[in-house]
Amino acid sequence: MSATARDEEQIGPETRGPNTAGATTAAPGSCVRPQESSPVYWRSLDELAQRAQFRQWIGREFPEGAGEWADPVSRRQFLRLMSASLLLAGAGFAGNGCRRPVERAEPFGKMPEDYAHGVPRYYATAMPAHGSAVPLVVKSNDGRPTKIEGNNLHPDSNGGTDRFAQASILDLYDPDRAARFARGGNTCNAEAAYDFLAEVGRKARQNRGQGLCFLVERNNSPSRARLRKSLGDQCPQARWHVYDPVDLDIHRRAATLAFAKPVQPFWQLDKANVVVSLDCDFLGSEGDVHNHIRRFSQRRRLEKAEDSPIRLYIAEGLMSVTGFNADHRLRLPGSAGAPLAAALAAGVLDAVRNRAGGAAAGPAVAALAAEVRKLGGSNLDALAKAAGVGSQWMAQWIGACAKDLAANPGRSLVVAGYRQPLEAHLLVHFMNAALGNLGQTVSFRPAPEADEGGLPKLARALDAGEVETLVVLGGNPVYTAPADLDWAKTQRRARTVVRLGYIEDETFPVCDWHLPAAHYLESWGDARTSDGTLVSIQPLIAPLFGGLTELEVLARIGGAQVTEPYGIARETFAGLCGSVPVEAAWRKFLHDGFLADSAAQPVQVSLNAAAVAEGLARVKQLSPLSKDRLEVIFHRDYSLDDGRHNNNGWLQELPDPVTKIVWDNVVLMSRQTALELGLKNSDRVEVKLGERIVRGPIWVQPGMADYSVGLALGYGRRQTGRVGRNAGFDVYPLRTTANQNIALGATVRAAGGACAISCTQNHWSVEGRPIVREADLEHYRQHPDFAKEPDAEMEELPVVAPLYPNPFDQLKRKGLHQWGMSIDLNRCVGCSACMLACQSENNVPIVGKDQVARGREMHWLRIDRYYVGRPRAAKAGPQGGESFFDTFRTEAEQQFERWIEDPQVVTQPMPCQHCEAAPCENVCPVNATSHDQEGLNVMAYNRCVGTRYCSNNCPYKVRHFNFFDFNKRPIGQFYLGPFGHRPDDEWDLIKMIKNPDVTVRMRGVMEKCTFCIQRIEQAKIAQKDRAGASGDVVVPTDSFTTACAQACPAEAIVFGNLNDPKSRVSRLKKLDRDYTVLKALLTKPRTTYLARVRNPNRAMPETGGTR
Amino acid sequence: MAAQVSPIQAEGLGHSSVVSAPEPPPELERAPLVANNRGFGWISNRVASLCEGAAPAWWWVLFIPSVLALGMLLFMVSYQVSTGVGVWGNMRPVMWAWDIVNFVWWIGIGHAGTLISAILFLLRQRWRTAVNRAAEAMTIFAVMCAGIYPALHVGRAWYDWWLFPVPNSNSIWPQFRSPLMWDVFAVSTYFTVSVLFWYMGLIPDLAVLRDRARSRLRQFLYGLFALGWTGSNRHWSNYEKAYLILAGLSTPLVLSVHSIVSLDFSVSQLPGWHTTIFPPYFVAGAVFSGFGMVLMLLIPLRSMFKLQDIITMRHIDVMCKVTMATSSIVAYSYAMEFFIAWYSGNPNERFHFLNRAMGPYQWAWFMMISCNVLIPQLFWLKRLRQNLLAVFILSILVNVGMWFERFVIIVVSLHRDFIPSNWGYYRPTWVDVCTYAGTFGLFFTLFLLFIRFLPMIAVSEVKGVTPQADPHNPLAGAKPKEVLYEA
């Protein structure tokens, strides 16, 4: 990240200084001893007089005569007998009636030193993700990790994170995670497993690793590499295999091939003016999404008319988050990626030649030019057909796009997605070379070629009976492996299978030994972020169920001296840091979470013409698609990834950023495809590919390429935890080794019936209302205040002085803190990380698919997604033109309206707007919601009786009602009321994730965004503490922020003090793009939006021509 | 059917000469309020006998299902309170649905009773006497049914008392700016005054029942509630004054309750709710539905209890006319809502009203328009007003229509408001339906108990409107010829 950007827009993740919130609690005072002069207490006049009779009476334990029984059985005797018989009776029941008394450790009878009750601690760590890592700072309350934030000290981070990092904390407390060591499915003790691992290692070392195979996921941990190397030295015959269901390694492979050097491309979107994406969802489902979003959004910053934001072109089959943000989007089947790359490359060559007067970018480019031109020209008609447009139109699209690229030499970027074949990637590198982008907008970092095999190779070895011991570290191959490998059976061919797994899933039954894996928040380790910086993985809690890490298993098999992960990580670090003494560097490493200046140095590359030529030869002619010959695109799910987050309720309930569907995957198709197949939303269909079949509901997705079918991975698990069970359908059975990403020749037919789909936003259109405001860059430059135009009519009305002055006008002048928020729609890409950050910070419950279908989801912050039709003029045609009555159509009818085929998309985060004149407040009969002095619309849960009137009167509908005890009862038992029960094991874990600073709401109360009032209060208290006698209690500018703003990698959400003119929010609100949603209602929200500005290319055909 | 009144020779009353009065032209003659020249004794006998003796079989046939439905209500309410509001279909954005629809509907039903007993009393509409007692009872029971909903639709019903201005340890007063707060006062005042008014009117008739009671228990209970009524001049004089005062007190309440209920909506800023026309429009609608309900109840009752002479076709006719008049006011309001939505130029308002007529809930709007505006216009036909079956069916449709009016106002306004991403479609659940059905159980249980144990006709008042009771009538003090004690 560039230094300038850091200086401009830095917001710390959290105030990390000591917080004294709990420091004032005094120790309980001892009883006051009565003084000599204190009054005398007496029980009777006798006592007062101290008569002898009274003294005698009081000296006796019992009244006279009570001690002696006349009976020969004395009282003592009787008691003795009774107690003996009770004892015997008790002994008789002891088998099932007596338990050892529960021992409760009362915390902090003596307070540990350096501990302040209620003050959270923050630790730097990192989450490994798909061969990279996300640097994190994790909050810990009383030893439990409770909230994940990005580490903004990291050189390649602004403190933003992605969805998965935010939600990963829930996995830690997953009640269904593997909690035992198992042998043959039966619980065994850990020592037996350790002995077995040692035995495996001993045997392997004896026969040099013959028959020992490892199956791992992609990962760049230096410790793993080191252990692997040392293991390899001892057991050279041991084989390593890597399998990631969603394999992003193609980028490295293509670059390595294209440049004949082991390199990994690194997109520097922040340096680009024009980006062309060929089916590359770099803002959604590629690796390191949060970094791409950050860089992309930096280039979408628009503070004054002269700023020129990035322009994004995309050609893709699925509608993706990146497609949302494109200025020009071409619906094109995924299989047309390479032909389009060729055509575009030809266009680029022409454009570069025209521009540079014939001089090509380099010898390799020149050598390939003729071939590229030939290939590009031959595909044009087929491409036009695939995109459903005329040839002329297509040529114009490609031409204008190429011209735009060529106009920005060294400042443009072409990228291809992981689903695209190698040849498309090679062509992309060719284009970047031709455009002079190498080393500019795309740099290359060394990435040594790995010698691992893939899953097919392992399958061959297994089939050949060569595998004695298979060690599966992570992953769930039985579920995710290509269908043709029939993995459950194949894996069984190993004599012994040892697996380290996080959950007892589909792979569990085919393992001989199952070791529980530790969560990354429980384990020591290390990783490298995408820029190569070494980051520490530091635990915040001891393994809850005694889980192991990969490193530990490898160390035990390798017979290493140090088998505890801490030692391993430290040893690796000692080898890497290169400074002496190691201890200080290690401590700093752990504290900061990364090793400074450890980023990989970019390498210079030049195009290898031979490799690209080979790639060109592989570009196939486009085969036409039809309703009987569909294309299937398998895509990484925005919520579940490849299925690894299946049991994570937050992610299951996070609306898919594109479809807004929760708890399900669907068969995505375009309006035209559905129409031709005679299907409508939610119809259950059968997707047939060869002989393989899967069944699921369809969903008409605006912006899908015709005859393309999108299938999300990760659902339909046969064996998983309580959360993920019964969610969606499994598409892995269609996926074969040959067709991992895009498959051709599928058919879809109705399978009868319909499935219930829960979608959080059914209505697709904004109905022409000025809720989201946008303009083209040109228009913006001419009318910088275009965002305010819809309110102009209101401004013209004669101003009637209000009867009562707005108290906040006064407070804004005099008060210390007035909180407000600004959301930049130009920077928001719709990634939804903020929603999960909010859920995690504010103890927002999940409600399940059924309740979402009933409109009862609880997300305090939602992301509205609207499809925008083209201007009416461009819609001329037999079905073109909007009818006046269109608005009143139902959502079901809407899906067959023609305008949805090529929509533009806007996303709008919508938290509570914190209106100064809040309509919710004056209708609450019990004063449960009211305003505080700092402009917050606050909610007293304890006072709420739940009339729900506030929600009815809220024009933004951002208030959420606890229709059931969503926190107390498990999903599926809401309707049982008091008879519903959450098992103790579930409860014990789930309650640990709660933020202790935020009330957990019961049923029957309203809740909503509070602007993270707990963070505000903590910041204020901390400042008061710092201020001491100085009286300077104003919280320093932008020293803290809300959870959503903190998590936003795009920095689209900015929160701060409006009374501080230096705060970012004050500055942003002064921008001319600032507008208020529903301003005419005079609710005076504290949350305002910055209008979206698109940057279309006037030369593109969509802007005028017909298709 | 109007019986021709002719001068009768008054016999045995000391008049020696024939009294002759100028005979008005027959077309100007009003039908008498008690038909067939029934005498005082017959009236007392007829009405009181309904509360005496064994209950007729049809009473049991109605009563047992009503009690069962009441039991269902209790189950539904306990289920909802113990489990959560989620058992209903309410959702975001439709946070109020059948709960408030039914609340407003039942409150509306109640209106006819108070209007008949108070406003028509002050306006000296003497025909009211035959129906006011039953209508008032209907009011009270309807308000009880209505009261269930606001009390129990909240998320935490056990804290309902926070809505009352009672000192509490929280030291927080209710929010007096909230229309829900006003509702609490309006409905509770309305209920209290209605009960008082009703009970006041019952006292002379309870005394009649007391005097006729044979069993000790009945004597004791009726005696207890008759408050020692002897029918002395002083009693009557106090009674009349109190009645007038209560009528005066009730009159503004007739207008205030539903106006305030309507403020729940018009004070908000939701398109479709935020309308100044609501208070009068709601009152008209309430009277409309109230009269519909009175007709629906009294038409079968008068046949089953053989009360045709007291609740005459003239009464039915008048009530049909009131229904039609209020229907027209309601129709005007509907039209005016559309006009204002257009005239205001507010795009949200315009959208909302077009969405009512053309959106996904179009069917509800059609139900509302046909039942409330179109069908009641049939009452212009006198022949139809005289056809009891037709009137009965129409009165049911009126109530169906008014239910849909509340549904349209509440649910349809909420389901598509300002921000399209919030739009949703509400569907009720079985608990919604059964709770609503259960309130009918409560209503009919109470009403059936009422007609069984209390005089459903105001005996003393009906006597007061017979020709014999009018000192200016030639029949004043006359004893009708017919047999006093018929079976």
Side-chain angles (χ1 to χ4, degrees), chain B residues 116-251:
Chain B
I116 290 169
S117 52
I119 295 187
L120 296 188
F121 176 77
L122 293 183
L123 296 177
R124 295 286 181 254
Q125 293 295 309
R126 301 189 326 151
W127 61 270
R128 66 177 268 286
T129 54
V131 294
N132 78 329
R133 174 71 45 76
E136 282 173 47
M138 179 194 82
T139 296
I140 290 161
F141 304 147
V143 174
M144 286 164 83
C145 292
I148 288 173
Y149 282 104
L152 297 178
H153 91 290
V154 300
R156 304 199 293 174
W158 49 97
Y159 289 131
D160 273 345
W161 59 278
W162 286 349
L163 269 77
F164 293 89
V166 285
N168 59 63
S169 57
N170 296 331
S171 302
I172 307 173
W173 279 93
Q175 231 256 60
F176 291 98
R177 289 183 300 170
S178 169
L180 290 186
M181 202 58 240
W182 313 339
D183 255 9
V184 170
F185 297 126
V187 174
S188 56
T189 311
Y190 180 62
F191 181 70
T192 317
V193 173
S194 296
V195 169
L196 275 178
F197 198 19
W198 178 65
Y199 176 58
M200 258 285 302
L202 268 171
I203 290 173
D205 295 354
L206 287 171
V208 172
L209 289 176
R210 173 198 62 196
D211 296 345
R212 291 165 59 103
R214 303 248 164 85
S215 77
R216 297 288 301 165
L217 182 68
R218 287 174 74 92
Q219 281 170 357
F220 173 73
L221 285 175
Y222 285 125
L224 188 70
F225 288 107
L227 302 178
W229 178 269
T230 59
S232 71
N233 266 351
R234 182 180 291 254
H235 280 178
W236 276 112
S237 154
N238 288 343
Y239 170 84
E240 295 284 359
K241 273 185 212 151
Y243 201 88
L244 190 64
I245 289 168
L246 280 171
L249 282 176
S250 301
T251 300

Side-chain angles (χ1 to χ4, degrees), chain B residues 399-477:
Chain B
N399 278 310
V400 171
M402 282 311 287
W403 190 89
F404 274 101
E405 180 198 296
R406 276 66 183 249
F407 183 85
V408 166
I409 290 173
I410 294 167
V411 173
V412 180
S413 303
L414 281 169
H415 92 120
R416 284 184 160 186
D417 68 342
F418 298 98
I419 296 187
S421 78
N422 297 325
W423 293 2
Y425 192 86
Y426 163 84
R427 285 178 189 82
T429 63
W430 63 277
V431 185
D432 279 304
V433 179
C434 292
T435 310
Y436 182 46
T439 54
F440 279 97
L442 173 65
F443 180 82
F444 280 108
T445 304
L446 292 170
F447 197 78
L448 287 164
L449 288 172
F450 158 71
I451 59 174
R452 186 71 198 99
F453 294 106
L454 291 172
M456 61 162 285
I457 305 283
V459 178
S460 57
E461 289 193 43
V462 170
K463 286 176 187 168
V465 297
T466 53
Q468 299 91 314
D470 181 1
H472 303 294
N473 192 290
L475 283 178

Side-chain angles (χ1 to χ4, degrees), chain A residues 373-395:
Chain A
R373 282 211 184 86
K374 188 166 142 258
L375 190 65
S378 69
N379 268 314
L380 210 57
D381 287 342
L383 272 175
K385 209 163 164 224
V389 296
S391 296
Q392 187 98 41
W393 197 96
M394 192 72 212

